[in-house]
Amino acid sequence: MKKKGIIGLVLAAAILACSFLIPESAELTRTGITTIAMLLSFLVIMVSEAFPLVVSCFIFLALMPVLGVTASLGEALSGFANKTLFFVLSSFMLADAFKTVPITKRVLIGLLKKFGKNVSSMLFALMAVTLLFSSVISNVPVCAIFMAIGLSLLDLYDEEAAKKSAGRAIMIGVSVATMIG
């Protein structure tokens, strides 16, 4: 562990320890004080990069019932049992699956054959297909899938400046097309 991480870890532990010295008041209960201390400690851990992000998250999730912020670990995890969260998560998993199979390349090759290598016509084609899909499928997965296809298109560029310009246009165009659809 780096020196910055060790300092962050000591500072985070000190924040948590000092929170138990702060007296409870009518405005802020013990649970509130501990929650604020956990938040500050978590931020210190994140800024100091004492642990990787995933490890930090799991540590603080486990600390919630230990420090009395929640009654149980199940209650601490209950905020993650949201239908919307799982929908968005599965949408991005679907987009990643599309990116790893050759279907994105096939769609891209089909669009290139049909509309040529002109950036404007290619962007129009990508937006039109995105709009059509978005009219029958939810916007989030369509946007994620077609952004993956757009990223595949960017692999064809050699110049960095042209790649950045086309990347901006594709990302904005795909987002707007999903909203319109």
Side-chain angles (χ1 to χ4, degrees):
M1 188 181 298
K2 295 179 183 175
K3 184 178 180 182
K4 184 171 95 169
I6 294 170
I7 292 170
L9 195 58
V10 169
L11 184 60
I15 291 171
L16 281 174
C18 288
S19 72
F20 292 103
L21 301 175
I22 298 173
E24 194 174 329
S25 67
E27 293 85 22
L28 198 57
T29 64
R30 170 63 35 213
T31 305
I33 294 169
T34 307
T35 303
I36 292 170
M38 282 188 68
L39 173 65
L40 293 174
S41 296
F42 183 73
L43 291 174
V44 168
I45 293 286
M46 296 310 303
V47 169
S48 68
E49 298 175 343
F51 300 115
L53 175 66
V54 175
V55 174
S56 301
C57 291
F58 282 126
I59 288 172
F60 279 87
L61 268 173
L63 279 176
M64 288 176 78
V66 171
L67 296 177
V69 173
T70 59
S72 66
L73 184 60
E75 191 178 323
L77 293 170
S78 68
F80 297 103
N82 187 338
K83 291 178 186 176
T84 307
L85 175 74
F86 285 116
F87 172 72
V88 171
L89 187 64
S90 62
S91 298
F92 283 105
M93 286 179 182
L94 181 67
D96 190 49
F98 265 89
K99 203 166 82 173
T100 56
V101 296
I103 195 165
T104 56
K105 300 280 189 222
R106 289 181 191 157
V107 170
L108 189 59
I109 289 169
L111 290 174
L112 283 170
K113 283 181 183 176
K114 205 72 156 161
F115 293 94
K117 294 185 180 180
N118 182 4
V119 176
S120 300
S121 62
M122 189 62 196
L123 180 61
F124 174 75
L126 191 62
M127 287 178 67
V129 174
T130 304
L131 187 140
L132 290 173
F133 272 81
S134 179
S135 65
V136 292
I137 303 172
S138 182
N139 290 350
V140 174
V142 171
C143 188
I145 290 167
F146 280 93
M147 281 195 176
I149 293 171
L151 287 174
S152 298
L153 176 66
L154 291 179
D155 291 339
L156 301 175
Y157 285 91
D158 294 329
E159 287 182 40
E160 193 63 33
K163 192 178 212 177
K164 283 183 180 181
S165 176
R168 271 190 229 111
I170 288 170
M171 295 303 136
I172 292 170
V174 167
S175 301
V176 168
T178 55
M179 287 188 292
I180 294 171

